[in-house]
Amino acid sequence: MSADLGRLLGGVGAVLLDFDGPMCSIFAGYPAPQVAAELVDVLRRHGVDVPPDLASEPDPLEVLRRTGEAGDQGLTRVVEDALCAAERRAVETAEPTPYGREVIVAARQAGMPVAVVSNNSAGAVSAYLTAHRLAAYVSPVVGRAYADPDRMKPNPEPILQAVRAVREPASRCVLVGDSLSDIEGARAAGVGVIGYANRPPKVERFRAAGADAVIASMSEIAGVLMERIGG
């Protein structure tokens, strides 16, 4: 455990978790590139001349974002609906992140609310929480704004929505995320941020982006919280 992590969590009153990464790998059994390709097919079926870079895009959230940038709200809703359906299917084979559950349970045992702030749909997140018997531990679930990809992280608005719901000052909340958009959004929202570097190259990127602490395993957070419970 790093001293930075211990100090950070020592002053925290609420834990905000990104979903895909800190809690699970949502596309473990239904790969993200496959979902992205299916969304591209949706665009083509609606008469869109898809440029090569978008046709080869492996991230379904980026396909949605690019669709939104084109300014056709009807088409954005179509892609949003297709992505929501794919995410609901994906959670059925999502792979839980080691120690993600322990972090949630320990935080609640320590008296802290736990919220999810995700660029995935709230319906998919809630379905996962129910299937894994975690729904009673997590509130609120702040998912992707419907057909409005500009409001996804790094936009701080969904993070601030969670902060308001847990009724803690932003300065006493911490977001655990595995992407630069999580770190950027958290800094803009004024909350602490822990970078979950689930791949080694992320470590230096997260530090350079201003993460307050960087971890390689969710067990590091679980350990600090368990000490807090026992302390």
Side-chain angles (χ1 to χ4, degrees):
M1 181 195 79
S2 72
D4 287 344
L5 183 63
R7 283 193 297 269
L8 179 62
L9 290 174
V12 160
V15 175
L16 316 179
L17 294 173
D18 181 34
F19 177 61
D20 185 21
M23 291 183 62
C24 71
S25 176
I26 182 175
F27 295 115
Y30 183 13
Q34 179 181 342
V35 176
E38 291 170 0
L39 298 182
V40 168
D41 285 343
V42 169
L43 291 173
R44 287 178 171 143
R45 289 198 299 271
H46 283 76
V48 177
D49 184 11
V50 180
D53 62 327
L54 183 55
S56 60
E57 173 58 54
D59 182 354
L61 292 174
E62 187 61 24
V63 176
L64 176 64
R65 196 188 303 272
R66 290 276 300 274
T67 302
E69 288 173 354
D72 185 330
Q73 187 61 22
L75 189 60
T76 302
R77 287 193 293 268
V78 168
V79 174
E80 173 74 48
D81 290 342
L83 179 53
C84 286
E87 288 171 333
R88 288 295 294 266
R89 175 181 167 191
V91 297
E92 297 175 4
T93 53
E95 181 178 316
T97 298
Y99 296 96
R101 181 185 187 88
E102 286 81 355
V103 167
I104 293 170
V105 174
R108 290 303 304 271
Q109 288 177 341
M112 291 185 286
V114 177
V116 171
V117 186
S118 177
N119 283 348
N120 298 116
S121 63
V125 176
S126 296
Y128 177 89
L129 293 173
T130 298
H132 291 264
R133 303 183 306 283
L134 287 167
Y137 294 90
V138 178
S139 181
V141 171
V142 180
R144 181 178 64 245
Y146 180 77
D148 192 357
D150 283 346
R151 292 171 62 192
M152 293 194 297
K153 295 174 292 182
N155 187 324
E157 193 276 332
I159 301 172
L160 292 171
Q161 183 179 339
V163 168
R164 291 189 293 268
V166 298
R167 298 182 179 181
E168 286 281 350
S171 60
R172 280 183 48 80
C173 296
V174 65
L175 174 71
V176 184
D178 73 327
S179 70
L180 291 173
S181 65
D182 292 313
I183 295 170
E184 183 181 339
R187 288 175 61 83
V191 309
V193 59
I194 298 170
Y196 170 43
N198 48 4
R199 291 192 297 275
K202 291 184 176 184
V203 173
E204 290 305 320
R205 291 203 296 267
F206 288 173
R207 287 176 177 157
D212 296 295
V214 179
I215 60 171
S217 169
M218 294 294 286
S219 66
E220 298 176 57
I221 299 176
V224 174
L225 295 177
M226 292 301 294
E227 288 183 6
R228 181 166 171 170
I229 295 166

